[in-house]
Amino acid sequence: MQINIVIMTLSKLPFLLLALIGSSWLSAGSPGRSGETPVSTVIEVLSTHFWQQADGFYWQLEADGTAYVWSYEQQYFRHGQWSVESGLLGPELLLTFEASQQRFMVAIGDTQHIRLVNDHTFIELSTVASQSVASGLSGEWQSSQYGETNYISFMRNGYFRLRRQTAQGVERIEDHWREGRDGQTVFLYLPKEGGAAAMYVKYLELDELVLSMMADKMLLTGSVDYYFNKL
């Protein structure tokens, strides 16, 4: 299954033409062997910056190889792995989401703009400013909805604790969390539920917090919107 983040479909154009377009733009970057941008430079550029497509999809490629692509407006979220390899015509980005893999040729015009090209897809990404919401989330929060009381704690060491009501009783989860660089998204690692979930920070003011689940996933009972008060 192709990841659904296509700006423009170019399947009618030969792949070689797309590769040449990418290669010509790539030459504006730092030259390496055979005039191409070194793989190490591509990795640094991709992991250092926070990226956005023109249609609003965010790309967050972490230095540890973790990849996030999401759009709250489109209710789209993918979490997986990324790497950069040296290909026949230059550096190539390999994205792995669940059982799906896609490979893109990477063209760097400057460190603020990149193009990803394969025989099906042409994607342009631009850098956007990173923002943080971590300091406001830190602490323990309580949600009492639909006759159930649930608790979630965001700790500064990168862990979270979740205590939620299930049909089998009270379940306790502790694992890692990471904030999206848009300053409005939180990623929770839930290994038993397929890896990770994305939560959108709809509202955060002093001791009030509203989190909304992304991509139609459910974390607690009743709704995709959860209202919390700080303890």
Side-chain angles (χ1 to χ4, degrees):
M1 180 183 297
Q2 298 289 331
I3 55 177
N4 186 27
I5 46 178
V6 178
I7 289 183
M8 185 182 301
T9 300
L10 299 176
S11 58
K12 294 183 180 180
L13 295 179
F15 173 73
L16 181 59
L17 176 58
L18 296 180
L20 291 174
I21 292 172
S23 296
S24 64
W25 212 45
L26 190 73
S27 64
S30 303
R33 182 172 54 114
S34 303
E36 70 183 39
T37 302
V39 166
S40 59
T41 299
V42 175
I43 293 174
E44 181 180 3
V45 169
L46 290 175
S47 61
T48 301
H49 297 288
F50 180 42
W51 304 94
Q52 187 177 27
Q53 295 178 211
D55 56 359
F57 285 89
Y58 289 115
W59 290 56
Q60 185 166 320
L61 305 176
E62 299 286 357
D64 63 4
T66 307
Y68 307 92
V69 178
W70 77 94
S71 168
Y72 178 72
E73 289 74 16
Q74 299 293 328
Q75 283 296 296
Y76 180 95
F77 172 64
R78 291 292 182 274
H79 162 253
Q81 299 294 315
W82 72 282
S83 61
V84 178
E85 303 173 355
S86 182
L88 180 63
L89 297 172
E92 294 180 349
L93 170 66
L94 179 63
L95 284 177
T96 303
F97 294 137
E98 298 175 351
S100 172
Q101 285 190 344
Q102 282 192 264
R103 186 179 294 270
F104 299 91
M105 185 170 179
V106 182
I108 301 178
D110 54 53
T111 57
Q112 309 299 314
H113 303 87
I114 62 173
R115 291 175 180 172
L116 305 178
V117 182
N118 63 22
D119 54 350
H120 300 291
T121 308
F122 181 87
I123 298 172
E124 289 198 30
L125 300 176
S126 300
T127 59
V128 290
S130 297
Q131 302 182 56
S132 177
V133 73
S135 59
L137 287 175
S138 180
E140 185 174 14
W141 300 84
Q142 175 183 300
S143 173
S144 297
Q145 293 175 253
Y146 314 106
E148 298 178 354
T149 300
N150 302 281
Y151 300 87
I152 189 167
S153 299
F154 295 99
M155 292 170 279
R156 295 183 182 275
N157 62 0
Y159 280 85
F160 75 93
R161 291 193 184 101
L162 174 67
R163 186 170 45 165
R164 64 181 176 180
Q165 188 72 38
T166 69
Q168 290 73 37
V170 176
E171 181 183 14
R172 292 173 173 83
I173 300 173
E174 181 173 343
D175 216 300
H176 293 84
W177 74 283
R178 177 175 277 168
E179 64 174 326
R181 297 184 197 174
D182 63 341
Q184 292 183 291
T185 308
V186 177
F187 307 118
L188 303 181
Y189 287 85
L190 304 168
K192 293 182 179 179
E193 300 181 23
M199 305 187 78
Y200 182 75
V201 181
K202 272 191 171 181
Y203 181 82
L204 175 59
E205 186 68 30
L206 298 177
D207 61 349
E208 295 183 347
L209 170 66
V210 180
L211 295 175
S212 179
M213 294 303 296
M214 199 176 300
D216 298 324
K217 289 190 176 182
M218 299 284 287
L219 183 65
L220 306 176
T221 302
S223 172
V224 294
D225 286 347
Y226 308 114
Y227 299 82
F228 291 88
N229 291 307
K230 198 166 191 177
L231 298 178

